[in-house]
Amino acid sequence: PMIPISDRYSYGLRKSTQEEIILEMTRYESPEMRRDQLRSMISQEQREGYRCTDYMIFYASRAEETSMTTKLSMKNEFGDIASTNGNGCSKQLNISCRTSICEWMYRVIDHFSADREVVHIALSYIDRILSTNICADRRTFKLISSASLHLAIKTHFPHLWHDVGRLLPELSRGDFAMGDLLAMENELLHSLTWLLNPPTPQAITMHMLSLLPRNLSRTTLENVANICLYLIELSVADYFFVTTKKAIVAIAALLNAIENQARQPLDGNNTFASIHHDYHFHIEKMLVDMDYHAN
């Protein structure tokens, strides 16, 4: 996982289906190699530099203090607490800011036909930066977000970064220029201590799927993979999962996808109970073998 997404597999990531990616992984990489890669990704997120905190607590408390100060000043001036429209904290950072930025990043990535996993990497930069630094206002947050996306694309899809770099200042609606973007990118590199390849739930899920028994049809395998990635993309936009380990998100998405698919008509003698039970067992065994303990 310590190489660009576009070159992560020797046979190329941009396959037509997720099922083809999984099958190619099993063809070109031994189970031992894939298991070692999975173990490395899971242990990687335990490192201090990849951990995130619940940083929105700070901004919520600061917004509450600002709102209270505004109400008190209005009471002193007018003799009563007047109704406020929230302007006193309109520039404060909040969870909806992060959600909006995530949705915007997906639109940009889709426009350039890059892999959506890049959005998770860019959000990882943002969450780790804000876990250790204070963001002054929403304009600064927009600049941090744009620089994070630019840096993630430059690292993982270097052939696209020139086009994206030209576009981002225009999308800022005049809030910052290219010089501001590059200066912030330099700050990000130092704050992140050059840890630019975070483990992602997408990569963990694909490796886990490649290690599970091949007793599903190719269509079912494709459906399971697509449901997994869909659930993971939803989790990226949800601030609730910022402090959740990425391996936990990947495992939960995989179990939900298997349960969903197991309720569909299956080929052969497979039943809902057998498929569901077998995959739970194999996933648990896989984690035990890697000394990974999770509820």
Side-chain angles (χ1 to χ4, degrees):
M2 301 303 291
I3 58 177
I5 293 175
S6 55
D7 300 322
R8 183 167 292 168
Y9 309 114
S10 58
Y11 41 83
L13 181 73
R14 302 303 295 176
K15 294 289 179 180
S16 59
T17 65
Q18 303 300 330
E19 171 259 342
E20 288 182 5
I21 296 175
I22 297 169
L23 294 180
E24 291 294 294
M25 289 174 67
T26 60
R27 182 181 306 169
Y28 287 93
E29 299 173 353
S30 67
E32 291 74 19
M33 181 184 296
R34 283 176 273 131
R35 193 173 290 107
D36 287 342
Q37 292 172 340
L38 181 59
R39 184 182 292 107
S40 297
M41 285 188 284
I42 290 176
S43 62
Q44 183 182 347
E45 68 171 338
Q46 310 296 327
R47 293 180 57 181
E48 184 67 31
Y50 287 107
R51 297 176 186 172
C52 297
T53 63
D54 184 8
Y55 57 85
M56 283 295 179
I57 290 180
F58 169 78
Y59 298 102
S61 61
R62 192 165 71 170
E64 185 176 349
E65 291 174 2
T66 303
S67 178
M68 183 61 67
T69 301
T70 302
K71 289 180 179 180
L72 289 175
S73 69
M74 294 182 72
K75 180 176 182 180
N76 292 335
E77 183 175 355
F78 299 107
D80 196 4
I81 299 179
S83 61
T84 62
N85 58 8
N87 290 336
C89 58
S90 61
K91 294 185 178 181
Q92 296 286 353
L93 195 62
N94 55 40
I95 293 176
S96 64
C97 296
R98 184 185 180 280
T99 303
S100 298
I101 281 293
C102 182
E103 294 171 351
W104 171 77
M105 285 184 178
Y106 277 131
R107 290 195 295 270
V108 173
I109 288 299
D110 290 343
H111 174 77
F112 288 99
S113 300
D115 196 287
R116 281 184 152 212
E117 190 175 354
V118 173
V119 175
H120 180 278
I121 294 173
L123 263 294
S124 173
Y125 298 166
I126 296 170
D127 294 333
R128 285 186 279 150
I129 287 293
L130 296 184
S131 292
T132 56
N133 299 272
I134 297 176
C135 181
D137 51 35
R138 294 187 180 186
R139 179 190 176 279
T140 305
F141 177 70
K142 184 191 294 186
L143 179 57
I144 292 173
S145 302
S146 299
S148 295
L149 181 60
H150 188 237
L151 183 59
I153 291 178
K154 183 186 292 187
T155 303
H156 295 277
F157 287 90
H159 62 286
L160 292 176
W161 76 271
H162 283 293
D163 295 332
V164 177
R166 285 195 296 266
L167 180 66
L168 290 178
E170 297 178 11
L171 295 178
S172 73
R173 299 179 181 178
D175 281 353
F176 53 83
M178 178 58 72
D180 300 319
L181 188 70
L182 296 178
M184 178 57 73
E185 187 176 294
N186 189 54
E187 292 292 330
L188 294 181
L189 287 171
H190 290 288
S191 296
L192 295 170
T193 60
W194 291 84
L195 297 177
L196 303 180
N197 293 274
T200 66
Q202 291 93 330
I204 294 173
T205 296
M206 299 302 281
H207 276 73
M208 292 184 71
L209 278 172
S210 73
L211 290 168
L212 291 174
R214 295 273 75 85
N215 60 343
L216 293 179
S217 67
R218 296 179 63 137
T219 300
T220 302
L221 179 62
E222 170 72 9
N223 291 338
V224 167
N226 284 332
I227 293 172
C228 281
L229 297 184
Y230 174 72
L231 293 174
I232 288 170
E233 287 175 7
L234 292 180
S235 74
V236 173
D238 193 334
Y239 178 78
F240 173 85
F241 295 100
V242 166
T243 57
T244 304
K245 292 180 180 179
K246 309 315 171 192
I248 299 294
V249 174
I251 294 167
L254 181 54
L255 293 176
N256 275 290
I258 290 171
E259 180 175 351
N260 174 277
Q261 205 55 55
R263 296 182 185 278
Q264 308 302 320
L266 297 171
D267 299 329
N269 298 321
N270 291 328
T271 63
F272 167 76
S274 64
I275 289 292
H276 200 232
H277 178 271
D278 288 349
Y279 273 71
H280 269 270
F281 171 78
H282 287 295
I283 291 172
E284 184 176 1
K285 184 178 184 299
M286 185 192 309
L287 297 175
V288 170
D289 290 343
M290 294 185 295
D291 295 325
Y292 186 78
H293 305 287
N295 293 328

